[in-house]
Amino acid sequence: MKCPEQLIDYMHEYLDDEITEEHEKILREHLQSCTDCQEYFRELNKAIALVQSTSHIHAPDDFTSKVMAGLPKEKKRTGVQRWFRSHPLLTAASLFLALMAGSILTTWNEDHQFSVSKQPNLIVENDTVIVPEGEVVKGDVVVRNGKVKIEGEVQGNVTVINGEKYMASAGNVTGEITEVNEVFEWIWYHIKKTVKNTANLFDHDEKEQSFQ
Amino acid sequence: METIVKHRIKQVIKGDQNAYGEIVEVYKDKVFQLCYRMLGNRHEAEDIAQEAFIRAYININSFNQNLKFSTWLYRIATNLCIDRIRKKKPDYFLDAEVPGTEGLTMYSQVPSETPLPEDEVESLELQDTIQKEISKLPDKYRSVIVLKYIEELSLNEISEILDLPLGTVKTRIHRGREALRQQLRHV
Ligand SMILES: [Zn+2]
């Protein structure tokens, strides 16, 4: 081929979509008169077309599952912590159910008798607990399977489980009054308690682990 | 697509391994194809493509989130392919000629389970020929040709993927095209 060498450069510029108008004009004019260069240009285009004609192939069906199986295992701590952070209540609930439900439900079933927290100035008549008028009861009062009559003052929370509560007009409770009448409410009451405890437990855990 | 992928990447960085599965789904065919055209062998391509995704996962913290994830992923895959090509032992090739059967390759002697229609056989043979010719290119030309003509990426993206100046990419594409012109002119 006795053609100027730049012509091949122009062909590549053309194929890269980067040819100037001037070069394109020179290339076109030359191709009209030179069969060698025509053939050369045809061969280049043919090679590209053949490479582009190779059919698109797909990854095997189990590709993604194989990749996922090959990933390094998540660090346990990160996994547990993330799960705990995004589902604090569920975490507590499942911990509670797994570890404690058995024993508490047993208590629930067996312990259908009357019980009350021990404070010296509480009066107990049959299944009724009385906070006497003019008396101040310090600390939380918990009554199970019985009634509570509040005529005096309770400096703390009052919890009535499967029972009833009578509040006299003079009665006063500084904390929260909670009535639990169903077994599920009873469980729920414990779950909420467990949430607070697990939250503390996990915070504590994390601090300890960060020193490792 | 890049927006969803970016969101998934943030989840992965936070430690959500499952979010990575969706990223793999998005890019698996492109990465597998890139590896297949680079290596010319499905089994090796699967191997390297999986390795590329696993490496990307392990190094996700070093991924610059302002860039396209695909660019970074293709870079990992291309580098792994080039490593594999360079380490490849040349003692056994499926398409090596078997003595006494000139023109027949071991590949064509592998019996296929169901007979294919003639034009499909022809098309498959042509595909094999083209792949064989691509595989003959030196790896530095092969990678630019595959990225440009099979993955259909721009010269700028190729330059980012290969971490090469644009001028070098152009020169390699020109040489790659020249080589293919000579190899494929009589096909
Ligand atoms: Zn000419």
Side-chain angles (χ1 to χ4, degrees):
Chain A
M1 222 192 311
K2 286 165 195 160
C3 305
E5 263 183 42
Q6 315 86 278
L7 278 166
I8 291 180
D9 291 337
Y10 296 171
M11 288 181 198
H12 285 291
E13 286 172 8
Y14 179 85
L15 293 173
D16 286 338
D17 258 336
E18 293 193 328
I19 195 164
T20 61
E21 269 182 49
E22 193 198 343
H23 288 178
E24 190 173 344
K25 194 167 165 253
I26 297 168
L27 180 62
R28 278 181 192 281
E29 278 169 6
H30 183 83
L31 287 177
Q32 275 170 2
S33 58
C34 173
T35 51
D36 282 350
C37 284
Q38 266 176 34
E39 178 63 9
Y40 195 98
F41 194 50
R42 199 190 60 79
E43 285 171 0
L44 273 176
N45 280 294
K46 179 184 168 187
I48 294 167
L50 284 174
V51 170
Q52 285 176 323
S53 79
T54 55
S55 53
H56 283 218
I57 52 163
H58 298 281
D61 288 342
D62 57 355
F63 187 87
T64 304
S65 56
K66 278 190 180 170
V67 169
M68 296 308 283
L71 297 182
K73 297 283 165 285
E74 283 184 272
K75 283 175 199 155
K76 227 176 190 169
R77 186 167 73 93
T78 329
V80 170
Q81 277 180 355
R82 187 179 59 249
W83 198 83
F84 172 71
R85 286 205 186 102
S86 41
H87 314 280
L89 207 56
L90 278 177
T91 308
S94 55
L95 272 178
F96 168 77
L97 288 173
L99 303 172
M100 294 148 90
S103 65
I104 284 174
L105 286 176
T106 312
T107 317
W108 177 259
N109 289 329
E110 284 174 357
D111 188 22
H112 263 266
Q113 70 243 34
F114 171 75
S115 74
V116 63
S117 50
K118 292 183 180 72
Q119 274 104 342
N121 43 3
L122 284 176
I123 296 171
V124 179
E125 283 176 2
N126 295 324
D127 63 347
T128 305
V129 178
I130 301 164
V131 180
E133 204 173 340
E135 291 279 343
V136 176
V137 175
K138 291 186 178 169
D140 298 345
V141 176
V142 179
V143 179
R144 252 170 238 195
N145 304 309
K147 298 165 190 157
V148 61
K149 257 187 188 171
I150 303 162
E151 291 166 347
E153 187 181 345
V154 177
Q155 289 185 350
N157 301 323
V158 173
T159 307
V160 188
I161 297 147
N162 213 28
E164 289 166 78
K165 170 205 76 171
Y166 302 101
M167 187 80 137
S169 53
N172 182 29
V173 175
T174 59
E176 281 174 43
I177 301 173
T178 315
E179 287 183 79
V180 181
N181 285 315
E182 299 289 339
V183 69
F184 289 113
E185 278 189 57
W186 169 232
I187 290 171
W188 182 240
Y189 164 80
H190 271 266
I191 286 173
K192 284 196 281 190
K193 249 170 70 179
T194 317
V195 169
K196 288 178 193 165
N197 294 341
T198 24
N200 295 337
L201 181 81
F202 272 79
D203 283 347
H204 180 65
D205 232 30
E206 213 175 305
K207 271 173 216 145
E208 261 190 359
Q209 284 185 348
S210 63
F211 287 106
Q212 288 171 0
Chain B
M1 184 56 74
E2 275 286 322
T3 322
I4 301 169
V5 169
K6 282 201 166 134
H7 183 65
R8 295 284 172 266
I9 289 167
K10 287 202 175 94
Q11 291 177 305
V12 173
I13 288 171
K14 279 185 198 154
D16 182 358
Q17 199 167 67
N18 288 331
Y20 197 62
E22 288 182 52
I23 299 177
V24 179
E25 277 296 311
V26 171
Y27 294 111
K28 62 176 185 181
D29 288 337
K30 295 207 164 205
V31 172
F32 179 71
Q33 170 144 285
L34 168 65
C35 295
Y36 177 69
R37 296 301 174 196
M38 285 295 286
L39 300 165
N41 170 311
R42 276 187 166 267
H43 182 74
E44 271 189 308
E46 193 183 347
D47 226 35
I48 296 295
Q50 280 175 7
E51 175 77 22
F53 278 108
I54 291 168
R55 293 241 183 145
Y57 176 84
I58 292 169
N59 297 300
I60 196 93
N61 285 311
S62 67
F63 166 62
N64 176 351
Q65 290 183 56
N66 300 317
L67 299 176
K68 271 172 91 173
F69 181 72
S70 57
T71 301
W72 188 66
L73 183 62
Y74 292 166
R75 179 187 296 182
I76 295 172
T78 313
N79 287 340
L80 285 172
C81 286
I82 291 173
D83 280 354
R84 174 62 67 98
I85 292 165
R86 289 178 185 167
K87 279 182 202 153
K88 225 177 192 175
K89 288 176 194 162
D91 59 321
Y92 175 78
F93 288 110
L94 197 57
D95 57 7
E97 294 216 352
V98 181
T101 57
E102 274 76 26
L104 275 179
T105 64
M106 285 173 71
Y107 197 72
S108 58
Q109 286 184 323
V110 175
S112 57
E113 284 176 14
T114 46
L116 292 165
E118 210 167 304
D119 54 344
E120 233 173 287
V121 173
E122 241 172 69
S123 135
L124 280 180
E125 279 172 4
L126 179 62
Q127 298 261 331
D128 282 350
T129 307
I130 297 165
Q131 180 57 47
K132 232 160 77 180
E133 298 305 331
I134 293 173
S135 297
K136 280 183 193 163
L137 293 174
D139 58 64
K140 60 181 179 176
Y141 302 149
R142 202 187 310 174
S143 47
V144 290
I145 291 291
V146 169
L147 290 170
K148 174 145 176 80
Y149 289 113
I150 289 166
E151 300 289 340
E152 295 173 322
L153 299 171
S154 71
L155 295 181
N156 279 315
E157 266 180 292
I158 298 172
S159 126
E160 274 189 57
I161 290 169
L162 298 174
D163 203 14
L164 290 171
L166 195 57
T168 311
V169 170
K170 280 187 201 169
T171 310
R172 288 188 181 182
I173 285 180
H174 297 184
R175 301 222 171 118
R177 274 197 298 245
E178 282 299 332
L180 285 171
R181 181 191 70 83
Q182 293 199 338
Q183 291 166 223
L184 292 169
R185 60 205 281 201
H186 297 305
V187 167

